[in-house]
Amino acid sequence: MIRISSVSHHYNNSVSFNFPDWNIGRGEQWVLLGESGKGKTTLLHILIGILQPKEGEVLILDQSLYKLKKRNLDKFRGEHVGVVLQQPHLLKSLTVWENLQLAQSFSNIIDKRRIEDVLESVGLSEKRRSYPQELSQGQLQRVSIARAVINKPVLVVADEPTSSLDDRNTEKVLTLLKRQTELHQAALVVATHDRRVKEAFINQYRIA
Amino acid sequence: MSWIRISWKNLLSKKMNFSMNVLLVAFGTSILTLLLLSSEQFKSKLSNNSRNIDLVVGAKGSPMQLILSSVYYVDFPTGNIPLKEANKLAAHPMVERAVPLALGDNYEGFRMAGTDSNFVILYGLELKEGKFWKAPFEVTVGSEVARNQGLQVGDVIHGAHGLSSSQDLHAERGYTVTGILKRKGNVTDNLVLTSVESIWNMHGGHDEEQDKELTALLIKYSSPMAVVMFPRMVNQTTAMQAASPAFESARLFTLTGIGMEVLRWFAILIMLIAGASIFISLYSSLQERKYDLAVMRVMGSSQEKIFLIVMMEGVLLTLIGSLVGVFLGHLSLQVVSHYQEMGQTRFEPWIFMKEEFLVLGGGLCLGLLASAIPAVQAYRSDISLILATH
């Protein structure tokens, strides 16, 4: 379903990254491991279609990402890829509900029921009218996960989602990520160097 | 969720910044609107009041003063002219119509004009009720005079000597209101019309024909040739002066136009400052929001949408500011017209002109210009780099 083949990238006057080929099946859950500076974030950005590799190909649902026109690539990403960032960044001028609605709107979806369901499943129904600044760090990360799965993507990518969380919240966030992706048979890729996360995944992709 | 709503919510999240920018734009736009309305109405009132009057003949002095006093009723007359001399001019073959004017009294700040039925023809006056003055000490009052003083047909009023003060009252003899004029939107709305004889009788000492005087004669030519010959003839062969309302009005507008031009540039300067302020606030907020915009791109927003969101913020700011400014411009004119002297034709504050769309359009262009650079920068931003370095 998702394939990375012969992908390499380099920044100007910098070291180059060569990434091993990688096949991710529907509903599979992977952890992406590697030390700092080895290209974890670069590979994630390539995988979600925001950084075109110098060489190689990324296929999602048999669609070669970088053969799409820019506009179509944006639309494809909105529809099929969900992203959870290290800092659960929400738009401060919008409520929790509107942040989720915004993610839908970029894919031309209007589905209030879906927003209600997802908010319920992450346990934040009562916070729908709250603004991000009124939420705790753990709640923000839950909204961020809800936003990543709102459009029922085939791939959810999380970049260091637990780096700022304690053990209890780390476990909660991982459980939530796994459960939410399982619900729609979405593949999950979590990039981390957090040992607590590493132990929670069977499938490991390592960048040397 | 539409990109307009996203822009709107973002603007509202910084209320102080939003209010200051709207106020700046509104301030500039309101001055421009006020200038536009007042100068256009001023110009139109000048031409409306002097329509059908080719020449004014009065006592020697300043020609502009003669026009201001005898056509616009805003200045003191230059003096009087002998009736005998005026009659000679009125009978001249180049004159189609000559309207006598005898000024000098007022009623509660409204000027009284002694004249004859030619005045009615000159301004195309119509009665709302009653009849026109005929006998001495009968008056027909303008619509604004009647409204302001609550006059009815049959009321008796007392004039006062002078053009605005009520102190030197002619208490010995009153005028009977015989009619009220329909509103014309010119100086006649603010006049009290009576016969020339009434003015003479009120002031006495005009029993002999050679003692009788007029303030001015409003003349309409019978032939285009008179434009050149008649004023020269009056100025060179009589002790009177001839002044052209068209020429003096144009001169007056040029003189007042200098002040208006200065104000116009002042307003444009404020608009430019508003534009710079919007640019700075959008640009600095872009630095704060670049991660927001990158996150939106990750969620599937196209570059074009990001561009439009930033552009729309500038456009919304200036559109709201311009609309508020246009409203404030009208409101300011309402205040100005409230404090205008009673005897003059007032500005109409709630008349809307199509040129106001130009003011709104100018405001929108300012918004587009101010937000263009931040929007292009947002469009071009490298989201991978922003996310990696945040």
Side-chain angles (χ1 to χ4, degrees):
Chain A
M1 189 185 70
I2 297 156
R3 196 171 77 217
I4 290 173
S5 55
S6 312
V7 167
S8 68
H9 189 72
H10 63 87
Y11 296 98
N12 293 340
N13 305 320
S14 177
V15 287
S16 62
F17 301 112
N18 293 300
F19 301 108
D21 289 355
W22 191 6
N23 286 306
I24 303 169
R26 179 175 287 274
E28 287 181 2
Q29 297 177 337
W30 287 77
V31 63
L32 168 60
L33 298 168
E35 288 169 25
S36 290
K38 293 293 180 186
K40 282 201 305 291
T41 300
T42 299
L43 182 58
L44 277 191
H45 288 185
I46 290 170
L47 191 57
I48 64 176
I50 61 171
L51 179 66
Q52 182 162 11
K54 299 295 179 194
E55 281 176 48
E57 192 173 39
V58 178
L59 288 165
I60 297 179
L61 294 174
D62 296 327
Q63 174 63 57
S64 177
L65 281 193
Y66 295 99
K67 283 185 181 161
L68 286 167
K69 285 183 181 169
K70 262 190 175 178
R71 204 173 182 168
N72 292 338
L73 175 56
D74 292 328
K75 193 166 182 287
F76 187 89
R77 184 169 55 245
E79 286 170 359
H80 301 298
V81 181
V83 179
V84 179
L85 298 162
Q86 187 173 350
Q87 295 299 323
H89 196 94
L90 303 176
L91 268 69
K92 284 186 187 132
S93 56
L94 305 180
T95 62
V96 166
W97 178 279
E98 287 167 336
N99 265 285
L100 299 186
Q101 205 178 25
L102 182 70
Q104 282 191 334
S105 71
F106 290 133
S107 303
N108 297 323
I109 297 168
I110 305 166
D111 188 348
K112 289 181 182 176
R113 185 63 202 248
R114 171 73 184 150
I115 298 177
E116 278 169 20
D117 289 348
V118 172
L119 274 178
E120 177 125 20
S121 69
V122 297
L124 287 172
S125 288
E126 76 284 4
K127 295 285 181 187
R128 67 182 68 190
R129 289 194 181 87
S130 301
Y131 283 89
Q133 48 274 33
E134 296 161 6
L135 303 181
S136 68
Q137 193 68 11
Q139 287 171 326
L140 284 171
Q141 196 60 290
R142 275 146 71 193
V143 181
S144 166
I145 291 168
R147 184 177 65 186
V149 298
I150 193 75
N151 294 336
K152 300 181 183 170
V154 293
L155 170 66
V156 173
V157 170
D159 187 8
E160 306 276 8
T162 57
S163 63
S164 56
L165 300 178
D166 57 22
D167 287 354
R168 203 170 123 259
N169 274 313
T170 295
E171 196 185 333
K172 273 186 179 176
V173 163
L174 285 179
T175 308
L176 194 61
L177 265 173
K178 286 182 165 186
R179 201 178 68 216
Q180 287 295 327
T181 48
E182 277 164 7
L183 277 173
H184 313 290
Q185 281 288 291
L188 171 66
V189 173
V190 178
T192 190
H193 58 260
D194 186 340
R195 189 172 291 171
R196 297 170 301 179
V197 178
K198 183 181 152 188
E199 287 161 2
F201 287 87
I202 300 163
N203 299 318
Q204 297 186 349
Y205 178 92
R206 189 177 293 274
I207 303 172
Chain B
M1 179 179 281
S2 72
W3 43 274
I4 297 176
R5 187 147 175 241
I6 299 168
S7 304
W8 177 242
K9 294 276 294 189
N10 190 57
L11 284 175
L12 286 188
S13 70
K14 290 169 187 163
K15 288 190 178 69
M16 180 58 88
N17 207 350
F18 172 72
S19 312
M20 291 310 292
N21 281 321
V22 164
L23 266 181
L24 257 178
V25 176
F27 190 43
T29 317
S30 66
I31 297 177
L32 282 175
T33 307
L34 180 65
L35 284 175
L36 181 73
L37 290 172
S38 56
S39 66
E40 281 304 312
Q41 288 192 26
F42 183 51
K43 209 189 284 182
S44 129
K45 281 183 195 304
L46 283 183
S47 66
N48 192 21
N49 287 326
S50 61
R51 192 181 296 156
N52 296 328
I53 305 172
D54 295 323
L55 196 75
V56 179
V57 177
K60 285 228 188 271
S62 153
M64 186 173 288
Q65 190 182 344
L66 177 62
I67 297 298
L68 287 175
S69 62
S70 303
V71 178
Y72 304 117
Y73 303 90
V74 288
D75 201 352
F76 292 96
T78 48
N80 286 333
I81 55 172
L83 176 68
K84 213 168 88 182
E85 292 293 312
N87 282 342
K88 270 189 210 167
L89 287 182
H92 196 280
M94 284 184 185
V95 175
E96 181 189 315
R97 182 181 302 120
V99 182
L101 268 188
L103 304 173
D105 283 354
N106 79 91
Y107 164 64
E108 298 292 343
F110 293 100
R111 295 199 179 192
M112 299 187 74
T115 184
D116 63 16
S117 58
N118 278 315
F119 190 91
V120 177
I121 300 166
L122 178 72
Y123 286 102
L125 301 181
E126 292 173 286
L127 285 163
K128 186 181 165 199
E129 55 183 289
K131 60 186 180 67
F132 286 109
W133 73 98
K134 196 170 178 187
F137 296 101
E138 286 184 348
V139 290
T140 303
V141 298
S143 60
E144 181 60 20
V145 184
R147 190 197 66 79
N148 190 280
Q149 295 296 315
L151 294 178
Q152 306 279 339
V153 172
D155 286 351
V156 174
I157 62 171
H158 290 272
H161 197 66
L163 296 175
S164 56
S165 166
S166 304
Q167 287 177 353
D168 190 6
L169 201 67
H170 294 302
E172 69 283 2
R173 191 75 197 260
Y175 294 90
T176 306
V177 177
T178 61
I180 294 167
L181 297 173
K182 275 189 188 167
R183 185 181 146 73
K184 291 294 285 184
N186 59 24
V187 285
T188 61
D189 295 338
N190 299 286
L191 290 179
V192 177
L193 302 173
T194 185
S195 63
V196 180
E197 289 77 15
S198 303
I199 303 290
W200 288 335
N201 290 344
M202 186 61 85
H203 293 91
H206 295 97
D207 299 334
E208 299 301 321
E209 192 65 21
Q210 64 267 26
D211 293 335
K212 288 179 178 166
E213 288 180 321
L214 293 175
T215 307
L217 208 54
L218 310 178
I219 287 172
K220 182 169 170 55
Y221 297 137
S222 61
S223 144
M225 280 174 61
V227 176
V228 181
M229 296 168 66
F230 196 78
R232 194 183 298 163
M233 185 268 286
V234 173
N235 288 329
Q236 289 178 355
T237 65
T238 72
M240 300 176 284
Q241 74 159 331
S244 155
F247 180 78
E248 296 302 328
S249 300
R251 205 158 70 87
L252 180 65
F253 199 72
T254 308
L255 290 174
T256 55
I258 296 168
M260 286 190 175
E261 197 63 15
V262 170
L263 273 176
R264 185 172 291 122
W265 281 108
F266 176 64
I268 289 170
L269 182 70
I270 291 172
M271 291 290 278
L272 289 176
I273 291 170
S277 166
I278 291 170
F279 168 75
I280 291 166
S281 78
L282 282 180
Y283 192 84
S284 58
S285 102
L286 194 69
Q287 301 307 311
E288 294 165 18
R289 288 169 58 213
K290 60 183 179 185
Y291 198 73
D292 277 5
L293 299 174
V295 168
M296 281 199 259
R297 290 290 318 281
V298 166
M299 284 194 280
S301 169
S302 64
Q303 283 174 298
E304 291 81 6
K305 241 176 203 168
I306 295 292
F307 176 84
L308 286 173
I309 287 169
V310 178
M311 284 298 280
M312 187 46 66
E313 287 181 22
V315 168
L316 281 173
L317 264 176
T318 46
L319 181 66
I320 294 167
S322 302
L323 285 170
V324 171
V326 166
F327 174 74
L328 285 179
H330 283 271
L331 199 65
S332 310
L333 197 63
Q334 167 90 61
V335 175
V336 170
S337 74
H338 180 74
Y339 287 105
Q340 268 182 290
E341 265 187 52
M342 205 180 282
Q344 295 162 28
T345 45
R346 289 171 194 274
F347 286 120
E348 300 283 349
W350 301 108
I351 287 177
F352 288 85
M353 298 168 62
K354 57 176 182 291
E355 284 82 356
E356 287 174 60
F357 286 108
L358 286 178
V359 176
L360 287 175
L364 279 182
C365 287
L366 186 77
L368 288 172
L369 277 174
S371 47
I373 293 175
V376 167
Q377 211 170 41
Y379 176 90
R380 284 184 177 166
S381 57
D382 181 343
I383 45 173
S384 172
L385 185 67
I386 293 168
L387 293 178
T389 54
H390 186 69

Short mmCIF file of all heavy atoms in Angstrom, two decimals, chain B residues 224-267:
data_model
loop_
_atom_site.label_atom_id
_atom_site.label_comp_id
_atom_site.label_asym_id
_atom_site.label_seq_id
_atom_site.Cartn_x
_atom_site.Cartn_y
_atom_site.Cartn_z
N PRO B 224 -26.45 86.33 -26.63
CA PRO B 224 -25.10 85.90 -26.22
C PRO B 224 -24.06 87.00 -26.40
O PRO B 224 -23.05 87.02 -25.72
CB PRO B 224 -24.81 84.72 -27.16
CG PRO B 224 -26.10 84.32 -27.74
CD PRO B 224 -27.00 85.50 -27.71
N MET B 225 -24.34 87.91 -27.29
CA MET B 225 -23.39 89.02 -27.52
C MET B 225 -23.20 89.87 -26.28
O MET B 225 -22.17 90.51 -26.07
CB MET B 225 -23.91 89.92 -28.65
CG MET B 225 -23.64 89.35 -30.03
SD MET B 225 -24.43 90.37 -31.27
CE MET B 225 -23.61 91.94 -31.00
N ALA B 226 -24.23 89.87 -25.43
CA ALA B 226 -24.19 90.71 -24.22
C ALA B 226 -23.09 90.29 -23.25
O ALA B 226 -22.62 91.10 -22.46
CB ALA B 226 -25.55 90.64 -23.54
N VAL B 227 -22.67 89.02 -23.33
CA VAL B 227 -21.66 88.50 -22.39
C VAL B 227 -20.43 89.39 -22.36
O VAL B 227 -19.86 89.67 -21.30
CB VAL B 227 -21.27 87.05 -22.77
CG1 VAL B 227 -20.16 86.52 -21.88
CG2 VAL B 227 -22.49 86.15 -22.71
N VAL B 228 -20.02 89.83 -23.53
CA VAL B 228 -18.81 90.64 -23.61
C VAL B 228 -19.14 92.14 -23.44
O VAL B 228 -18.47 92.85 -22.69
CB VAL B 228 -18.11 90.42 -24.98
CG1 VAL B 228 -16.84 91.25 -25.07
CG2 VAL B 228 -17.84 88.94 -25.18
N MET B 229 -20.20 92.58 -24.11
CA MET B 229 -20.45 94.03 -24.19
C MET B 229 -21.11 94.63 -22.95
O MET B 229 -20.76 95.73 -22.52
CB MET B 229 -21.32 94.32 -25.43
CG MET B 229 -20.59 93.95 -26.73
SD MET B 229 -21.69 93.95 -28.13
CE MET B 229 -22.10 95.68 -28.23
N PHE B 230 -22.08 93.90 -22.41
CA PHE B 230 -22.89 94.51 -21.34
C PHE B 230 -22.10 94.82 -20.06
O PHE B 230 -22.17 95.95 -19.55
CB PHE B 230 -24.11 93.62 -21.04
CG PHE B 230 -25.18 94.31 -20.26
CD1 PHE B 230 -26.06 95.21 -20.89
CD2 PHE B 230 -25.31 94.13 -18.90
CE1 PHE B 230 -27.05 95.85 -20.16
CE2 PHE B 230 -26.28 94.79 -18.17
CZ PHE B 230 -27.16 95.65 -18.80
N PRO B 231 -21.30 93.86 -19.53
CA PRO B 231 -20.55 94.17 -18.31
C PRO B 231 -19.60 95.35 -18.51
O PRO B 231 -19.45 96.20 -17.64
CB PRO B 231 -19.76 92.89 -18.02
CG PRO B 231 -20.43 91.84 -18.80
CD PRO B 231 -21.07 92.49 -19.97
N ARG B 232 -18.97 95.38 -19.72
CA ARG B 232 -18.03 96.47 -19.99
C ARG B 232 -18.77 97.82 -19.99
O ARG B 232 -18.29 98.80 -19.43
CB ARG B 232 -17.35 96.24 -21.35
CG ARG B 232 -16.13 97.14 -21.55
CD ARG B 232 -15.52 96.94 -22.92
NE ARG B 232 -15.02 95.58 -23.10
CZ ARG B 232 -14.74 95.05 -24.29
NH1 ARG B 232 -14.96 95.76 -25.39
NH2 ARG B 232 -14.28 93.86 -24.40
N MET B 233 -19.95 97.79 -20.61
CA MET B 233 -20.74 99.02 -20.68
C MET B 233 -21.09 99.50 -19.24
O MET B 233 -20.95 100.69 -18.92
CB MET B 233 -22.01 98.75 -21.49
CG MET B 233 -22.91 99.95 -21.76
SD MET B 233 -24.17 100.15 -20.51
CE MET B 233 -25.27 98.81 -20.91
N VAL B 234 -21.51 98.57 -18.39
CA VAL B 234 -21.89 98.94 -17.01
C VAL B 234 -20.68 99.49 -16.26
O VAL B 234 -20.73 100.55 -15.63
CB VAL B 234 -22.48 97.72 -16.25
CG1 VAL B 234 -22.72 98.05 -14.78
CG2 VAL B 234 -23.76 97.26 -16.91
N ASN B 235 -19.57 98.78 -16.36
CA ASN B 235 -18.39 99.17 -15.59
C ASN B 235 -17.76 100.48 -16.07
O ASN B 235 -17.16 101.21 -15.27
CB ASN B 235 -17.33 98.05 -15.62
CG ASN B 235 -17.77 96.86 -14.77
OD1 ASN B 235 -18.46 97.03 -13.76
ND2 ASN B 235 -17.39 95.67 -15.18
N GLN B 236 -17.89 100.75 -17.39
CA GLN B 236 -17.22 101.93 -17.92
C GLN B 236 -18.10 103.18 -17.96
O GLN B 236 -17.59 104.30 -17.85
CB GLN B 236 -16.68 101.63 -19.33
CG GLN B 236 -15.50 100.67 -19.27
CD GLN B 236 -14.97 100.31 -20.65
OE1 GLN B 236 -15.54 100.71 -21.67
NE2 GLN B 236 -13.90 99.55 -20.68
N THR B 237 -19.41 102.99 -18.10
CA THR B 237 -20.25 104.17 -18.31
C THR B 237 -21.16 104.50 -17.14
O THR B 237 -21.90 105.47 -17.19
CB THR B 237 -21.13 103.99 -19.58
OG1 THR B 237 -22.02 102.91 -19.33
CG2 THR B 237 -20.30 103.72 -20.80
N THR B 238 -21.17 103.68 -16.08
CA THR B 238 -22.03 103.99 -14.93
C THR B 238 -21.20 103.99 -13.65
O THR B 238 -20.03 103.56 -13.66
CB THR B 238 -23.16 102.96 -14.77
OG1 THR B 238 -22.58 101.75 -14.30
CG2 THR B 238 -23.88 102.69 -16.07
N ALA B 239 -21.82 104.40 -12.56
CA ALA B 239 -21.14 104.39 -11.26
C ALA B 239 -21.35 103.05 -10.55
O ALA B 239 -21.09 102.91 -9.36
CB ALA B 239 -21.68 105.52 -10.41
N MET B 240 -21.88 102.08 -11.31
CA MET B 240 -22.16 100.76 -10.72
C MET B 240 -21.11 99.75 -11.19
O MET B 240 -20.31 100.05 -12.07
CB MET B 240 -23.57 100.30 -11.15
CG MET B 240 -24.66 101.25 -10.70
SD MET B 240 -26.29 100.78 -11.27
CE MET B 240 -26.25 101.25 -12.97
N GLN B 241 -21.13 98.56 -10.59
CA GLN B 241 -20.22 97.51 -11.08
C GLN B 241 -21.03 96.28 -11.51
O GLN B 241 -22.11 96.01 -10.96
CB GLN B 241 -19.20 97.11 -10.02
CG GLN B 241 -19.75 96.27 -8.90
CD GLN B 241 -18.66 95.47 -8.16
OE1 GLN B 241 -17.64 95.12 -8.73
NE2 GLN B 241 -18.91 95.23 -6.89
N ALA B 242 -20.49 95.59 -12.49
CA ALA B 242 -21.13 94.36 -12.97
C ALA B 242 -20.21 93.19 -12.62
O ALA B 242 -19.00 93.27 -12.82
CB ALA B 242 -21.33 94.42 -14.47
N ALA B 243 -20.78 92.14 -12.07
CA ALA B 243 -19.98 90.95 -11.72
C ALA B 243 -20.68 89.70 -12.24
O ALA B 243 -21.90 89.59 -12.17
CB ALA B 243 -19.82 90.86 -10.20
N SER B 244 -19.85 88.80 -12.77
CA SER B 244 -20.39 87.56 -13.34
C SER B 244 -20.41 86.46 -12.28
O SER B 244 -19.35 86.09 -11.73
CB SER B 244 -19.54 87.13 -14.53
OG SER B 244 -19.66 85.75 -14.73
N PRO B 245 -21.57 85.87 -11.96
CA PRO B 245 -21.62 84.78 -10.96
C PRO B 245 -20.76 83.59 -11.37
O PRO B 245 -20.10 82.98 -10.52
CB PRO B 245 -23.09 84.39 -10.92
CG PRO B 245 -23.82 85.55 -11.47
CD PRO B 245 -22.91 86.20 -12.46
N ALA B 246 -20.77 83.26 -12.66
CA ALA B 246 -20.00 82.09 -13.12
C ALA B 246 -18.52 82.30 -12.84
O ALA B 246 -17.84 81.41 -12.29
CB ALA B 246 -20.24 81.86 -14.60
N PHE B 247 -18.02 83.48 -13.19
CA PHE B 247 -16.60 83.77 -13.03
C PHE B 247 -16.21 83.82 -11.55
O PHE B 247 -15.23 83.21 -11.13
CB PHE B 247 -16.28 85.11 -13.71
CG PHE B 247 -14.84 85.50 -13.60
CD1 PHE B 247 -13.88 84.92 -14.41
CD2 PHE B 247 -14.43 86.45 -12.67
CE1 PHE B 247 -12.54 85.27 -14.29
CE2 PHE B 247 -13.10 86.80 -12.54
CZ PHE B 247 -12.15 86.22 -13.36
N GLU B 248 -17.02 84.52 -10.76
CA GLU B 248 -16.69 84.68 -9.34
C GLU B 248 -16.85 83.36 -8.59
O GLU B 248 -16.08 83.08 -7.66
CB GLU B 248 -17.59 85.76 -8.70
CG GLU B 248 -17.38 87.16 -9.25
CD GLU B 248 -15.95 87.68 -9.12
OE1 GLU B 248 -15.25 87.31 -8.15
OE2 GLU B 248 -15.51 88.43 -10.02
N SER B 249 -17.83 82.56 -9.00
CA SER B 249 -18.01 81.24 -8.36
C SER B 249 -16.79 80.36 -8.62
O SER B 249 -16.30 79.67 -7.71
CB SER B 249 -19.25 80.53 -8.88
OG SER B 249 -20.38 81.30 -8.63
N ALA B 250 -16.32 80.40 -9.87
CA ALA B 250 -15.15 79.60 -10.23
C ALA B 250 -13.94 80.06 -9.41
O ALA B 250 -13.15 79.25 -8.93
CB ALA B 250 -14.87 79.72 -11.72
N ARG B 251 -13.83 81.40 -9.25
CA ARG B 251 -12.71 81.95 -8.49
C ARG B 251 -12.81 81.52 -7.02
O ARG B 251 -11.82 81.13 -6.41
CB ARG B 251 -12.74 83.49 -8.59
CG ARG B 251 -11.38 84.15 -8.39
CD ARG B 251 -11.37 85.53 -9.01
NE ARG B 251 -12.20 86.47 -8.29
CZ ARG B 251 -11.76 87.20 -7.26
NH1 ARG B 251 -10.52 87.09 -6.85
NH2 ARG B 251 -12.56 88.04 -6.65
N LEU B 252 -14.02 81.56 -6.51
CA LEU B 252 -14.24 81.17 -5.12
C LEU B 252 -13.89 79.70 -4.91
O LEU B 252 -13.24 79.33 -3.93
CB LEU B 252 -15.72 81.41 -4.76
CG LEU B 252 -16.15 81.06 -3.35
CD1 LEU B 252 -15.46 81.96 -2.34
CD2 LEU B 252 -17.66 81.19 -3.19
N PHE B 253 -14.30 78.88 -5.88
CA PHE B 253 -14.03 77.45 -5.75
C PHE B 253 -12.53 77.17 -5.83
O PHE B 253 -12.01 76.29 -5.15
CB PHE B 253 -14.78 76.67 -6.83
CG PHE B 253 -14.90 75.22 -6.47
CD1 PHE B 253 -15.75 74.81 -5.46
CD2 PHE B 253 -14.13 74.27 -7.11
CE1 PHE B 253 -15.84 73.48 -5.10
CE2 PHE B 253 -14.21 72.93 -6.76
CZ PHE B 253 -15.07 72.54 -5.76
N THR B 254 -11.84 77.95 -6.66
CA THR B 254 -10.39 77.78 -6.76
C THR B 254 -9.74 78.15 -5.42
O THR B 254 -8.84 77.46 -4.95
CB THR B 254 -9.82 78.70 -7.87
OG1 THR B 254 -10.57 78.47 -9.05
CG2 THR B 254 -8.36 78.44 -8.12
N LEU B 255 -10.22 79.23 -4.81
CA LEU B 255 -9.64 79.67 -3.54
C LEU B 255 -9.87 78.64 -2.44
O LEU B 255 -8.95 78.26 -1.73
CB LEU B 255 -10.25 81.02 -3.12
CG LEU B 255 -9.85 82.23 -3.97
CD1 LEU B 255 -10.63 83.46 -3.54
CD2 LEU B 255 -8.36 82.50 -3.83
N THR B 256 -11.11 78.16 -2.33
CA THR B 256 -11.40 77.16 -1.29
C THR B 256 -10.76 75.83 -1.64
O THR B 256 -10.44 75.03 -0.77
CB THR B 256 -12.92 76.95 -1.11
OG1 THR B 256 -13.47 76.63 -2.38
CG2 THR B 256 -13.59 78.19 -0.57
N GLY B 257 -10.56 75.62 -2.95
CA GLY B 257 -9.99 74.37 -3.43
C GLY B 257 -8.58 74.13 -2.90
O GLY B 257 -8.17 72.99 -2.69
N ILE B 258 -7.84 75.21 -2.65
CA ILE B 258 -6.46 75.06 -2.14
C ILE B 258 -6.50 74.37 -0.78
O ILE B 258 -5.77 73.42 -0.53
CB ILE B 258 -5.77 76.45 -2.04
CG1 ILE B 258 -5.62 77.05 -3.44
CG2 ILE B 258 -4.39 76.32 -1.38
CD1 ILE B 258 -5.22 78.51 -3.45
N GLY B 259 -7.39 74.84 0.08
CA GLY B 259 -7.52 74.23 1.41
C GLY B 259 -7.95 72.79 1.30
O GLY B 259 -7.44 71.92 2.01
N MET B 260 -8.89 72.54 0.39
CA MET B 260 -9.40 71.17 0.23
C MET B 260 -8.29 70.26 -0.29
O MET B 260 -8.21 69.10 0.10
CB MET B 260 -10.57 71.18 -0.73
CG MET B 260 -11.82 71.75 -0.08
SD MET B 260 -13.26 71.51 -1.09
CE MET B 260 -14.55 72.14 -0.02
N GLU B 261 -7.45 70.81 -1.17
CA GLU B 261 -6.36 70.01 -1.73
C GLU B 261 -5.40 69.59 -0.61
O GLU B 261 -4.95 68.45 -0.57
CB GLU B 261 -5.63 70.84 -2.80
CG GLU B 261 -4.75 70.06 -3.73
CD GLU B 261 -5.51 69.05 -4.57
OE1 GLU B 261 -6.77 69.11 -4.68
OE2 GLU B 261 -4.86 68.18 -5.12
N VAL B 262 -5.11 70.54 0.28
CA VAL B 262 -4.20 70.24 1.40
C VAL B 262 -4.81 69.12 2.25
O VAL B 262 -4.14 68.15 2.60
CB VAL B 262 -3.97 71.51 2.27
CG1 VAL B 262 -3.23 71.15 3.56
CG2 VAL B 262 -3.19 72.55 1.48
N LEU B 263 -6.11 69.25 2.55
CA LEU B 263 -6.78 68.23 3.35
C LEU B 263 -6.79 66.87 2.64
O LEU B 263 -6.63 65.83 3.26
CB LEU B 263 -8.22 68.65 3.63
CG LEU B 263 -8.42 69.52 4.87
CD1 LEU B 263 -9.87 69.96 4.96
CD2 LEU B 263 -8.04 68.75 6.12
N ARG B 264 -6.98 66.94 1.31
CA ARG B 264 -7.03 65.70 0.54
C ARG B 264 -5.69 64.96 0.65
O ARG B 264 -5.64 63.76 0.88
CB ARG B 264 -7.36 66.01 -0.93
CG ARG B 264 -7.54 64.74 -1.76
CD ARG B 264 -8.06 65.04 -3.15
NE ARG B 264 -9.43 65.51 -3.13
CZ ARG B 264 -9.83 66.68 -3.62
NH1 ARG B 264 -8.97 67.49 -4.20
NH2 ARG B 264 -11.09 67.04 -3.56
N TRP B 265 -4.60 65.72 0.51
CA TRP B 265 -3.27 65.09 0.61
C TRP B 265 -3.03 64.57 2.03
O TRP B 265 -2.38 63.54 2.21
CB TRP B 265 -2.18 66.06 0.18
CG TRP B 265 -2.09 66.13 -1.31
CD1 TRP B 265 -2.47 67.16 -2.12
CD2 TRP B 265 -1.64 65.09 -2.19
NE1 TRP B 265 -2.29 66.84 -3.44
CE2 TRP B 265 -1.78 65.56 -3.53
CE3 TRP B 265 -1.15 63.80 -2.01
CZ2 TRP B 265 -1.43 64.81 -4.63
CZ3 TRP B 265 -0.81 63.03 -3.12
CH2 TRP B 265 -0.95 63.54 -4.40
N PHE B 266 -3.57 65.29 3.00
CA PHE B 266 -3.44 64.85 4.39
C PHE B 266 -4.14 63.50 4.56
O PHE B 266 -3.59 62.57 5.17
CB PHE B 266 -4.07 65.92 5.31
CG PHE B 266 -4.10 65.56 6.75
CD1 PHE B 266 -2.93 65.38 7.47
CD2 PHE B 266 -5.31 65.40 7.42
CE1 PHE B 266 -2.96 65.04 8.82
CE2 PHE B 266 -5.36 65.07 8.76
CZ PHE B 266 -4.18 64.89 9.45
N ALA B 267 -5.34 63.41 3.98
CA ALA B 267 -6.11 62.15 4.08
C ALA B 267 -5.38 61.02 3.36
O ALA B 267 -5.32 59.89 3.86
CB ALA B 267 -7.50 62.33 3.48
#
